[in-house]
Amino acid sequence: MKLLNVVRVLTVLIIVVALYALGLIGSYILGESDWLKNYTASSATADTAAVTPYDTNFHALWTQPADWRLEKLAPEKRSQIEYGKELIAHTAEYLGPRGKVKAISNGMNCQNCHLNAGTQPWGNNYFAVQANYPKFRERSGTVENQIKRVNDCFERSLNGKALDSASREMQAILAYIKWIGGDVPKKYIPRGSGIYKLKLMKRAADPDKGRIVYEQKCQSCHQANGEGVMAEGGRTYTYPPLWGEHSYNIGAGLFRLSNLAGYVKFNMPFGATYERPQLSDEESWDVAAFVNSMPRPSKDLSKDWPNIAGKPFDHPFGPYADPFSEQQHKYGPFKPIKEWKEKHKKKS
C-alpha cells in the first residue's frame, strides 16, 4: 500500500514537471514568457543592428543592363559602348597626362568618382543621366546637355580640359551612359541613383576628428600626404589622390561636403558598400570635412551660380542670398541654412 502511494506521488510529480516544461516550451513558441521576451529582445537588438538595412530605399535598387544584352547589338554599336566603358574605367590611360589619345586630365579615372564604371548603387552612378538630360542646372543657369555634363567632369573632377564634342571618345562615353540608363523612364530617378544623402548633423563637421578617421581608415590606401599611389607604368593611380595638385579641384561636385560624406558612407574605406558600411554617419561627415579642408587645385568659379539664391546649402563659397557665413556653408551645421532657404523660397 505504501509502495502504491509512493508511485502515485512520483507520478504526480512527473506530471507536474512535464506540464511545467511544456509551459516553458509553449511560452517559447508563443513568445509569452517575460524572461524569454527580455532575452530575445536584447539579443535581437545586437543582431538587428548588424543586419538591418540602413534605409528602406535600399530595397529593389536599380541595376545596370545585363551583359548578355550587348551581344544583341550591332557589332559597331557594341564596340562603341565597350570603348566608352573602357574610357570611364581607365580614363588616364587614354586621356591622362601620358594618355594614348590626348593629354587633357590629371591622371585620375572617371571611375574613381563614378564607381564600377558608373554602375555602383549609391556610388555616384549614371543610372538617371539618360532619363534626365537635357535639364536646367542652377550652377550654370542654363539647360545643359550630356556633353556639357561630361566636360564639367573633365574640367572639375579631373582638373583638365574639355573633350571635343565630336570626338570618338566623347561619342563613346555618351553611348555608354545611354546604355547604362536606357531602360529608365523619362524624368525618373530610380532608387540607388547618384549619391546617398545622409541625414544632416546637429553640429558642424569637424576636420580634426576627420583626420583621426582618415589616419585609421583611409591613409593605408591614399597615403599620409593624400596623394594616392601611382600604378606601375605611371599612367594612372592604383589609389587616387584625395588632395594635392593631381586631385579634383574646388569646382568639383565632391567638394560639396554633403556629396563627399554620402559618397564616403557607402563606398569607403575599401570594401565598404551600402549593404556593409564601415563608417558611422558622423565619421563620414568628419572625414569628408578633413579631406576637403586640404589644399587642392583652384578654378575660376565666377560664372557659376548666376542666381546666388540657387546655391546649395553646402556650397563653400560666397556671396550668398542668406545671412550665414562661408564657414557654416562649408562645414555646417546645415539644417539652419536649409530651413532659412525653405522659409524664404520665392513662391512660383
Side-chain angles (χ1 to χ4, degrees), residues 148-192:
K148 164 67 173 169
R149 191 68 189 88
V150 169
N151 276 334
D152 265 354
C153 285
F154 271 96
E155 294 177 330
R156 297 167 185 264
S157 299
L158 298 180
N159 193 38
K161 299 176 182 178
L163 188 60
D164 183 352
S165 61
S167 67
R168 178 188 174 217
E169 286 66 36
M170 175 62 82
Q171 295 306 308
I173 288 171
L174 295 178
Y176 176 67
I177 290 174
K178 182 177 181 179
W179 169 251
I180 293 299
D183 295 332
V184 179
K186 200 67 177 170
K187 303 302 180 185
Y188 178 68
I189 299 178
R191 284 182 176 178

Side-chain angles (χ1 to χ4, degrees), residues 43-304:
S43 298
T45 300
D47 294 341
T48 303
V51 300
T52 300
Y54 189 83
D55 187 279
T56 54
N57 283 337
F58 284 11
H59 297 293
L61 299 186
W62 196 270
T63 56
Q64 68 186 93
D67 288 343
W68 63 263
R69 291 173 58 187
L70 277 172
E71 301 302 319
K72 302 292 185 181
L73 301 179
E76 287 185 4
K77 177 54 69 175
R78 182 171 67 247
S79 177
Q80 184 184 45
I81 291 170
E82 289 172 343
Y83 184 45
K85 180 178 181 179
E86 177 71 6
L87 289 167
I88 296 298
H90 306 291
T91 318
E93 291 284 342
Y94 301 88
L95 300 166
R98 298 177 58 191
K100 301 172 185 176
V101 178
K102 293 184 76 174
I104 62 169
S105 62
N106 61 3
M108 291 175 65
N109 301 315
C110 296
Q111 183 170 253
N112 295 142
C113 298
H114 304 278
L115 294 179
N116 195 19
T119 64
Q120 177 71 25
W122 304 124
N124 205 13
N125 56 64
Y126 300 136
F127 294 159
V129 175
Q130 184 64 26
N132 289 277
Y133 277 82
K135 73 174 185 179
F136 177 81
R137 299 191 75 215
E138 286 280 5
R139 187 167 72 182
S140 65
T142 64
V143 174
E144 297 182 6
N145 58 22
Q146 290 188 38
I147 292 172
K148 164 67 173 169
R149 191 68 189 88
V150 169
N151 276 334
D152 265 354
C153 285
F154 271 96
E155 294 177 330
R156 297 167 185 264
S157 299
L158 298 180
N159 193 38
K161 299 176 182 178
L163 188 60
D164 183 352
S165 61
S167 67
R168 178 188 174 217
E169 286 66 36
M170 175 62 82
Q171 295 306 308
I173 288 171
L174 295 178
Y176 176 67
I177 290 174
K178 182 177 181 179
W179 169 251
I180 293 299
D183 295 332
V184 179
K186 200 67 177 170
K187 303 302 180 185
Y188 178 68
I189 299 178
R191 284 182 176 178
S193 296
I195 297 174
Y196 189 80
K197 298 301 181 185
L198 287 183
K199 184 178 180 180
L200 301 179
M201 294 195 298
K202 293 181 179 179
R203 64 170 176 86
D206 189 334
D208 290 331
K209 290 182 178 179
R211 181 189 295 273
I212 297 172
V213 177
Y214 183 84
E215 290 171 350
Q216 293 175 344
K217 301 287 188 177
C218 316
Q219 183 171 295
S220 59
C221 291
H222 298 286
Q223 303 301 295
N225 61 8
E227 295 182 0
V229 176
M230 183 68 73
E232 185 177 353
R235 287 184 186 271
T236 187
Y237 289 92
T238 301
Y239 301 108
L242 299 185
W243 64 81
E245 62 177 323
H246 301 294
S247 188
Y248 57 87
N249 66 43
I250 62 171
L254 289 183
F255 197 61
R256 282 181 54 196
L257 203 61
S258 64
N259 286 341
L260 184 56
Y263 181 83
V264 165
K265 171 68 182 185
F266 295 116
N267 299 290
M268 298 295 156
F270 184 75
T273 67
Y274 67 92
E275 297 166 307
R276 295 179 181 84
Q278 297 184 28
L279 301 181
S280 69
D281 284 13
E282 289 200 356
E283 287 174 325
S284 300
W285 280 107
D286 288 337
V287 76
F290 168 67
V291 169
N292 278 351
S293 73
M294 301 302 283
R296 64 186 60 257
S298 187
K299 180 175 174 56
D300 179 10
L301 306 180
S302 61
K303 295 182 180 179
D304 286 2

Side-chain angles (χ1 to χ4, degrees), residues 328-344:
Q328 187 165 348
H329 277 278
K330 186 168 186 177
Y331 296 122
F334 296 120
K335 187 176 180 182
I337 303 176
K338 290 195 72 175
E339 289 176 343
W340 189 97
K341 288 173 70 69
E342 187 63 30
K343 182 178 179 180
H344 293 82

